[in-house]
Amino acid sequence: MLGMDCSRHALVTPAALGPPLWSLGLSCLDGCLRDASFGTSPGYGCAADRAEEQRRHQEGLPYIDDSPSSSPHLSSKGRGSRDALASGALESTKAGELDLEKGLEMRKWVLSGILASEETYLSHLEALLLPMKPLKAAATTSQPVLTSQQIETIFFKVPELYEIHKEFYDGLFPRVQQWSHQQRVGDLFQKLASQLGVYRAFVDNYGVAMETAEKCCQANAQFAEISENLRARSNKDAKDQTTKNSLETLLYKPVDRVTRSTLVLHDLLKHTPCSHPDHPLLQDALRISQNFLSSINEEITPRRQSMTVKKGEHRQLLKDSFMVELVEGARKLRHVFLFTDLLLCTKLKKQSGGKTQQYDCKWYIPLTDLSFQTVDESEAAPNIPLVLDEELEAMKIKISQIKSDIQREKRANKGSKAIERLKKKLSEQESLLLLMSPSMAFRVHSRNGKSYTFLISSDYERAEWRENIREQQKKCFKSFSLTSVELQMLTNSCVKLQTVHCIPLTINKEDDESPGLCGFLNVIVHSATGFKQSSNLYCTLEVDSFGYFVNKAKTRVYRDTAEPNWNEEFEIELEGSQTLRILCYEKCYNKTKIAKEDGETTDRIMGKGQVQLDPQALQDRDWQRTVIAMNGIEVKLSVKFTSREFSLKRMPSRKQTGVFGVKIAVVTKRERSKVPYIVRQCVEEIERRGMEEVGIYRVSGVATDIQALKAAFDVNNKDVSVMMSEMDVNAIAGTLKLYFRELPEPLFTDEFYPNFAEGIALSDPVAKESCMLNLLLSLPEANLLTFLFLLDHLKRVAEKETVNKMSLHNLATVFGPTLLRPSEKESKLPANPSQPISMTDSWSLEVMSQVQVLLYFLQLEAIPAPDSKRQSILFSTEV
């Protein structure tokens, strides 16, 4: 491969290049091969092909129900009470006009992103063209570096591509500068699409160009040095700032560019009304692009992944990922590569000026020698150092604070140095969080007796690695060992073959990339088909958060069936999430049946699948139905997303006879009690049989059960205690949380909420305690006594932490926003929807503050509330 042997290039000196070419200034700069520097518009990115496929899939999801809170599998009962939430026709018209206005505004931002992307692409093409003139001039001398034919082959169609995109950029730039909602740009995109034939010629020649360049590098050290040190401008405004790129990287840019051409047109069409003159032109451009791509996609994919080994065989990269390795009790970040015949573990070297990205090999195992370590019941598994939830939460707080600071600096235009310092801090904190968060072991064992342990945050990822390795092992028959030279060549090739170019950090995302969804995702797991025999089946749901995946929900076990019908609904909180994963398990009650690998559960994964959470597809807040196929199994789901903007709203009930959505003082006065009956009943039932339930208050209860209990409490059903005794305890915990969440005003009141937020931020512990206690005792009596009652209960739950895994911090995380989140009118969130990242970080900081307030009171040994008030909680009614 081009530039595979780094030692060859290390011997080349500037003097060896001679004056004609070295005068081009092709010196070494710190560079990076990752596509994240591509400067793309929304839709471009390292997972763009998957995003394109997912977009087509999600746009085909059928419309199910326009009720904002109903579920597809629920009957129509109770929907009448929700009709009050529907907006009037006049409001709908106004909302439609606002949506149209926002869409047209988004159209401008999409086009601005396209301009930035084009600017970066043109700089890459310029970097390719830069050495062409001196090379051509040298070709006519007695000592040519390359022949004219070689130059023509390597740089084939690059000048034409530059002219096409320069014309497109020059046409688009003034139109965006003189922007109006009626501005037309469709003709430019239509013309650009009509010139895709030049890309066809480039793609057809691409393989020959790469082969020629590789041979020329091997034959000529001068050209080898040039090919590894091509300069591209960082951006238009920074003419002196350049990044180093290899010839191979830059020649791949047009291939990468054309394979993603439809994505930008999709984004632009989404924000172009059907009535706009551009709409038919953009549709035509999209049609041309799609037809073109369908003819070349299959040709391009394998070209990135293969490398030639010694005997002319082809070793292909199947999968690579950043993972955490446990080395003598310490966590180390590794980049792991699965090839067709071996597993390679590498460490990314720190980059310094003048050096390209490089890897160090830590170890490798031929697939014929690899097995998955089985942990015997009598044998203790290696200890995994766990990180406290409080420490992980503190990291998240720092990350959110730094993101907020970056946004503030950008708005203030204080210069790039301050922003770069903050970005460095952000990268350090996010890297630390990714390093410390995984806790699930994935162990591999070599025939030579050595074992290695990785830590993974997701059972989905662990199963995926196992499946890929086991499938490939069926094709491997002979063991082998690599010489030091072969191992070095293989490690060097990883720089070019890698598909995961950077650690999944926010700092590595482009500004126009989606920050993910923040809010609440309601998921109904309906049913599954395709099982070959009856068994005990259940599903779990995972979502990504802060760069790693976490388990969020679990269905009940459906026993002795091949067609389970769970019909369970879960509400999952999203924190910058982009993917929903589902895993289907067979529950194994006979622990001796299955070997216990990695100390994991003995339950067997029957299938797994995932769906991208497309903000555009989910923005309507309607139920959308989908089917996830996994190994012959199909699981039916419905999903509905509610953004943070809407989940903030506390909606008062219009009928004051119930308890949900009714002010707490009204309920206690009506009941002649100090603490609402619903709170006392739920707490009593949970303390009776839920104190040792793993994840109590964190694990989602079945939504249909929660809605049934809500209805029973609202009509004062006398059989509610009987209903509770027959329901899963997580549904009761969910009902209690729902009650506090639906209060029209938070338990800590809108009036005092800002004061609590300021008090928790005080640095002096004495002043903080005085402030916080005085504020607490200033709450209305019903609010105060209800909080003290709940506080005592939560402390008793935390006493069982070794069993239920719910620490004080976990409980504060669950209840903090529920008890303190202000009413809509009091929310401090910015109203501007065009700043999603800023809104996300502001929300995160607000939530962190709410968690800290509740945690502070949970950690206090005693609250000096008046004894009369505290004792009066024990009585259910006033005499």
Side-chain angles (χ1 to χ4, degrees):
M1 292 293 289
L2 175 62
M4 182 182 296
D5 188 353
C6 292
S7 61
R8 180 187 68 217
H9 301 304
L11 299 175
V12 179
T13 62
L17 293 176
L21 292 173
W22 189 253
S23 63
L24 289 172
L26 301 173
S27 60
C28 294
L29 288 175
D30 184 16
C32 182
L33 299 180
R34 62 186 178 85
D35 291 334
S37 61
F38 198 62
T40 55
S41 62
Y44 281 92
C46 61
D49 292 332
R50 294 193 299 277
E52 165 72 5
E53 180 182 347
Q54 190 59 43
R55 180 181 285 107
R56 291 197 300 270
H57 172 68
Q58 292 222 4
E59 284 178 351
L61 294 177
Y63 171 82
I64 289 186
D65 191 352
D66 61 358
S67 174
S69 57
S70 64
S71 307
H73 71 274
L74 301 178
S75 68
S76 59
K77 285 183 179 180
R79 291 190 180 178
S81 63
R82 290 192 288 266
D83 290 343
L85 297 176
S87 300
L90 186 59
E91 291 180 1
S92 298
T93 304
K94 291 180 179 178
E97 291 173 355
L98 282 173
D99 288 343
L100 180 63
E101 186 73 18
K102 289 177 183 177
L104 288 168
E105 187 64 26
M106 275 300 297
R107 189 166 180 262
K108 178 185 177 182
W109 290 113
V110 170
L111 286 167
S112 298
I114 292 171
L115 272 177
S117 174
E118 282 293 313
E119 190 176 301
T120 304
Y121 183 48
L122 284 171
S123 74
H124 291 148
L125 294 176
E126 285 172 358
L128 278 173
L129 293 173
L130 185 63
M132 274 189 65
K133 286 184 180 180
L135 284 171
K136 283 184 175 181
T140 60
T141 67
S142 59
Q143 292 183 326
V145 179
L146 301 179
T147 67
S148 296
Q149 183 59 48
Q150 288 170 332
I151 296 169
E152 176 64 25
T153 302
I154 294 172
F155 298 96
F156 184 68
K157 294 297 178 183
V158 173
E160 289 86 346
L161 290 176
Y162 178 81
E163 290 303 323
I164 288 170
H165 283 271
K166 185 70 166 63
E167 182 184 359
F168 174 73
Y169 179 86
D170 290 343
L172 184 61
F173 183 80
R175 299 193 194 186
V176 175
Q177 291 293 99
Q178 301 168 4
W179 184 252
S180 72
H181 290 334
Q182 293 303 313
Q183 182 67 273
R184 299 186 184 189
V185 295
D187 58 309
L188 298 176
F189 285 92
Q190 192 180 41
K191 183 177 180 180
L192 187 64
S194 69
Q195 296 170 309
L196 285 173
V198 179
Y199 275 98
R200 161 55 76 183
F202 181 89
V203 170
D204 288 344
N205 181 72
Y206 176 74
V208 180
M210 294 304 301
E211 186 179 345
T212 303
E214 182 179 352
K215 289 178 179 178
C216 291
C217 280
Q218 292 171 351
N220 190 302
Q222 192 174 7
F223 181 67
E225 182 69 19
I226 292 170
S227 70
E228 287 295 316
N229 297 282
L230 298 176
R231 287 181 173 180
R233 280 187 296 107
S234 297
N235 57 63
K236 185 178 179 181
D237 298 326
K239 293 184 179 179
D240 296 330
Q241 294 182 18
T242 58
T243 56
K244 187 192 69 173
N245 293 268
S246 69
L247 177 65
E248 182 180 12
T249 302
L250 291 176
L251 281 176
Y252 187 73
K253 292 295 183 184
V255 179
D256 185 68
R257 184 76 169 186
V258 74
T259 55
R260 309 187 193 286
S261 60
T262 61
L263 299 177
V264 67
L265 288 168
H266 268 294
D267 288 331
L268 196 52
L269 266 170
K270 280 180 184 175
H271 303 293
T272 302
C274 295
S275 58
H276 197 284
D278 269 350
H279 199 271
L281 299 178
L282 293 173
Q283 280 187 318
D284 187 51
L286 180 60
R287 178 187 57 79
I288 295 170
S289 299
Q290 287 174 332
N291 291 340
F292 174 75
L293 280 183
S294 64
S295 68
I296 68 165
N297 263 338
E298 292 182 3
E299 303 172 22
I300 292 172
T301 303
R303 291 178 181 167
R304 292 189 66 178
Q305 296 182 328
S306 64
M307 60 168 289
T308 303
V309 292
K310 189 175 181 181
K311 297 180 181 179
E313 302 166 348
H314 280 81
R315 172 179 289 140
Q316 285 194 318
L317 176 64
L318 301 177
K319 179 180 177 67
D320 67 300
S321 175
F322 284 96
M323 297 171 71
V324 176
E325 185 184 12
L326 194 60
V327 183
E328 297 179 352
R331 294 167 180 256
K332 305 288 184 180
L333 188 65
R334 304 291 193 226
H335 199 158
V336 184
F337 297 83
L338 174 62
F339 289 94
T340 44
D341 59 345
L342 61 84
L343 184 70
L344 176 67
C345 179
T346 69
K347 172 189 174 183
L348 184 63
K349 285 184 179 180
K350 289 185 178 179
Q351 292 174 256
S352 56
K355 291 187 178 181
T356 58
Q357 189 181 31
Q358 289 182 321
Y359 286 102
D360 269 339
C361 172
K362 303 308 293 182
W363 51 264
Y364 76 95
I365 306 176
L367 295 188
T368 50
D369 298 342
L370 185 149
S371 61
F372 297 106
Q373 186 174 354
T374 299
V375 180
D376 189 85
E377 290 288 352
S378 60
E379 166 186 342
N383 288 329
I384 298 174
L386 297 179
V387 182
L388 295 175
D389 291 332
E390 290 84 345
E391 294 180 27
L392 295 177
E393 206 63 38
M395 293 178 201
K396 292 179 182 179
I397 292 173
K398 286 184 180 178
I399 289 169
S400 296
Q401 183 63 60
I402 295 170
K403 287 181 180 178
S404 180
D405 291 343
I406 290 173
Q407 293 296 330
R408 187 175 62 250
E409 292 291 332
K410 285 183 176 180
R411 288 192 294 270
N413 291 321
K414 290 187 177 180
S416 60
K417 287 186 177 180
I419 293 175
E420 287 305 314
R421 282 196 299 269
L422 288 170
K423 284 186 174 181
K424 185 178 179 181
K425 287 183 181 179
L426 178 60
S427 178
E428 291 170 354
Q429 284 298 319
E430 289 190 321
S431 298
L432 184 61
L433 179 62
L434 286 177
L435 191 66
M436 305 308 287
S437 56
S439 59
M440 189 179 295
F442 171 51
R443 297 184 178 90
V444 293
H445 185 71
S446 175
R447 189 178 293 174
N448 65 13
K450 292 185 177 180
S451 296
Y452 306 95
T453 301
F454 293 109
L455 298 180
I456 295 180
S457 62
S458 161
D459 207 8
Y460 186 103
E461 292 172 21
R462 180 166 64 176
E464 199 169 58
W465 274 97
R466 281 207 187 110
E467 288 170 10
N468 290 339
I469 291 172
R470 282 174 174 152
E471 186 62 31
Q472 193 58 31
Q473 282 179 322
K474 297 175 184 177
K475 307 170 187 177
C476 299
F477 305 102
K478 291 183 180 180
S479 182
F480 60 89
S481 62
L482 299 177
T483 66
S484 58
V485 174
E486 289 172 334
L487 186 58
Q488 185 62 48
M489 290 180 66
L490 175 63
T491 308
N492 289 346
S493 73
C494 291
V495 173
K496 298 167 186 177
L497 298 177
Q498 61 183 330
T499 60
V500 180
H501 295 274
C502 52
I503 305 169
L505 307 178
T506 305
I507 195 68
N508 290 328
K509 289 185 177 181
E510 296 296 331
D511 287 343
D512 53 13
E513 281 190 63
S514 169
L517 294 172
C518 292
F520 291 91
L521 185 73
N522 286 73
V523 181
I524 303 172
V525 184
H526 291 290
S527 59
T529 56
F531 296 101
K532 295 179 180 178
Q533 60 185 30
S534 295
S535 51
N536 306 310
L537 303 166
Y538 69 92
C539 290
T540 64
L541 300 172
E542 296 179 352
V543 295
D544 55 318
S545 172
F546 285 87
Y548 60 96
F549 280 83
V550 288
N551 191 352
K552 285 287 191 177
K554 175 184 174 182
T555 68
R556 68 184 185 276
V557 178
Y558 214 97
R559 297 199 176 203
D560 300 321
T561 182
E563 295 186 352
N565 286 283
W566 293 286
N567 282 325
E568 293 185 55
E569 182 180 347
F570 302 95
E571 184 179 72
I572 297 173
E573 185 174 4
L574 304 182
E575 298 176 289
S577 306
Q578 295 177 320
T579 307
L580 170 69
R581 288 174 169 175
I582 183 166
L583 296 97
C584 193
Y585 294 84
E586 177 189 7
K587 182 73 175 175
C588 183
Y589 293 101
N590 184 351
K591 302 297 181 183
T592 61
K593 261 190 176 181
I594 302 176
K596 205 172 187 183
E597 292 180 345
D598 296 345
E600 65 175 305
T601 175
T602 56
D603 299 344
R604 183 159 64 101
I605 296 178
M606 304 295 288
K608 57 182 176 53
Q610 63 183 18
V611 59
Q612 295 300 119
L613 300 175
D614 184 354
Q616 297 297 329
L618 294 171
Q619 67 179 354
D620 294 332
R621 290 181 290 141
D622 294 325
W623 284 102
Q624 300 196 39
R625 197 160 188 158
T626 185
V627 176
I628 298 182
M630 45 175 84
N631 306 335
I633 300 167
E634 289 189 343
V635 178
K636 295 179 180 178
L637 299 177
S638 290
V639 295
K640 180 181 70 171
F641 173 67
T642 307
S643 67
R644 286 254 162 86
E645 180 185 358
F646 291 99
S647 65
L648 281 173
K649 296 180 180 178
R650 290 181 180 268
M651 301 295 292
S653 174
R654 292 189 179 181
K655 58 171 191 175
Q656 294 292 305
T657 54
V659 294
F660 281 83
V662 180
K663 289 184 177 180
I664 196 168
V666 173
V667 173
T668 53
K669 184 177 180 180
R670 185 202 307 144
E671 295 177 351
R672 294 197 302 160
S673 64
K674 298 295 184 182
V675 176
Y677 174 71
I678 182 175
V679 177
R680 288 181 281 118
Q681 280 293 100
C682 289
V683 166
E684 180 182 328
E685 189 65 23
I686 290 168
E687 296 204 352
R688 185 175 70 84
R689 59 187 177 94
M691 299 295 275
E692 296 186 355
E693 180 77 13
V694 175
I696 187 68
Y697 287 118
R698 179 179 57 80
V699 175
S700 300
V702 179
T704 46
D705 291 346
I706 294 172
Q707 291 299 321
L709 279 175
K710 175 183 177 181
F713 276 113
D714 264 341
V715 298
N716 196 22
N717 191 324
K718 295 181 180 179
D719 296 327
V720 70
S721 58
V722 177
M723 290 176 61
M724 292 173 69
S725 65
E726 296 173 349
M727 285 186 176
D728 177 63
V729 72
N730 288 312
I732 298 165
T735 303
L736 182 61
K737 289 189 295 181
L738 183 66
Y739 169 72
F740 284 116
R741 192 162 71 237
E742 292 196 355
L743 284 174
E745 184 181 47
L747 197 62
F748 279 56
T749 73
D750 288 330
E751 179 186 355
F752 288 110
Y753 171 70
N755 304 102
F756 278 110
E758 291 172 4
I760 198 65
L762 294 174
S763 54
D764 180 19
V766 177
K768 180 187 290 188
E769 181 175 352
S770 174
C771 175
M772 296 296 281
L773 288 176
N774 280 325
L775 285 170
L776 182 66
L777 298 177
S778 300
L779 292 175
E781 184 179 35
N783 299 57
L784 173 62
L785 296 181
T786 301
F787 174 67
L788 294 176
F789 180 78
L790 179 65
L791 191 71
D792 288 342
H793 164 65
L794 295 179
K795 287 183 177 181
R796 289 192 291 273
V797 171
E799 288 173 2
K800 300 280 187 178
E801 179 189 352
T802 54
V803 181
N804 61 33
K805 309 301 181 186
M806 293 301 291
S807 63
L808 290 175
H809 189 277
N810 286 341
L811 292 165
T813 301
V814 171
F815 275 96
T818 301
L819 300 180
L820 282 102
R821 186 193 68 213
S823 304
E824 182 188 8
K825 63 179 182 296
E826 299 296 331
S827 173
K828 296 180 179 179
L829 285 180
N832 186 357
S834 67
Q835 297 178 345
I837 296 178
S838 177
M839 186 178 77
T840 300
D841 297 332
S842 176
W843 164 263
S844 297
L845 291 171
E846 196 167 353
V847 169
M848 299 299 182
S849 173
Q850 294 158 8
V851 170
Q852 291 300 313
V853 169
L854 180 55
L855 182 61
Y856 181 81
F857 289 120
L858 283 168
Q859 290 174 334
L860 282 180
E861 291 186 7
I863 295 178
D867 290 341
S868 58
K869 286 188 176 183
R870 200 176 188 84
Q871 289 297 322
S872 66
I873 300 172
L874 301 175
F875 298 95
S876 59
T877 59
E878 290 181 346
V879 179

